[in-house]
């Protein structure tokens, strides 16, 4: 069975990527979709937080991430496509690249523009970085 990674951040572009897969369900039949959402690592400055506070922020970020993956799962319900959802924390392009390897994915299907407009201006889009960091084809959905 082949695996397909679909990063999802609730943006219009990410929703179109999920819809692309749904509209071409025959092409993805027999494959497993790995729907992921990556939240930024909590940035802590100084020593003002205890480990339990940091752990609580981490759990909150995972819970927030699960809201995104639940939205993607709702789109996929009833399509007959097999999928799993995963919530991750870290640098999105790096985590996507790790997930490609961990889930043995042969393809990444993702939107071209995510939720972070400022980040795109400062350091290039997540999609651009993913293209350079993964060793598998990346299908970008506009």
């Amino acid at each position: 069975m082949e695996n397909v990674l679909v990063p999802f951040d609730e943006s219009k572009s990410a929703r179109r990527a999920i819809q692309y897969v749904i509209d071409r369900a025959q092409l993805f039949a027999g494959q497993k979709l790995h729907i992921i959402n990556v939240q930024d690592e909590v940035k802590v400055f100084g020593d003002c937080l205890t480990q339990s506070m940091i752990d609580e922020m981490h759990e909150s970020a995972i819970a927030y991430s699960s809201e995104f993956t639940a939205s993607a799962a709702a789109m996929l319900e009833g399509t007959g496509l097999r999928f799993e959802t995963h919530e991750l924390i870290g640098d999105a392009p790096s985590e996507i690249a790790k997930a490609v390897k961990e889930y043995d994915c042969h393809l990444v299907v993702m939107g071209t523009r995510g939720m972070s407009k400022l980040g795109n201006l400062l350091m290039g889009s997540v999609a651009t970085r993913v293209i350079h960091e993964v060793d598998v084809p990346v299908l970008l959905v506009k």
Side-chain angles (χ1 to χ4, degrees), residues 35-96:
I35 311 300
I36 67 167
N37 176 266
V38 182
Q39 294 296 311
D40 287 330
E41 185 72 48
V42 176
K43 299 191 178 36
V44 179
F45 300 98
D47 296 328
C48 58
L49 298 177
T50 65
Q51 186 60 47
S52 64
M53 293 169 84
I54 294 169
D55 292 343
E56 192 174 311
M57 287 189 293
H58 181 87
E59 289 171 15
S60 179
I62 291 293
Y64 183 63
S65 183
S66 69
E67 293 176 20
F68 290 95
T69 57
S71 177
M75 290 179 71
L76 290 163
E77 287 298 329
T79 63
L81 293 167
R82 294 173 30 127
F83 66 91
E84 289 181 10
T85 61
H86 310 276
E87 296 77 28
L88 307 171
I89 295 179
D91 174 62
S94 299
E95 292 302 316
I96 291 168

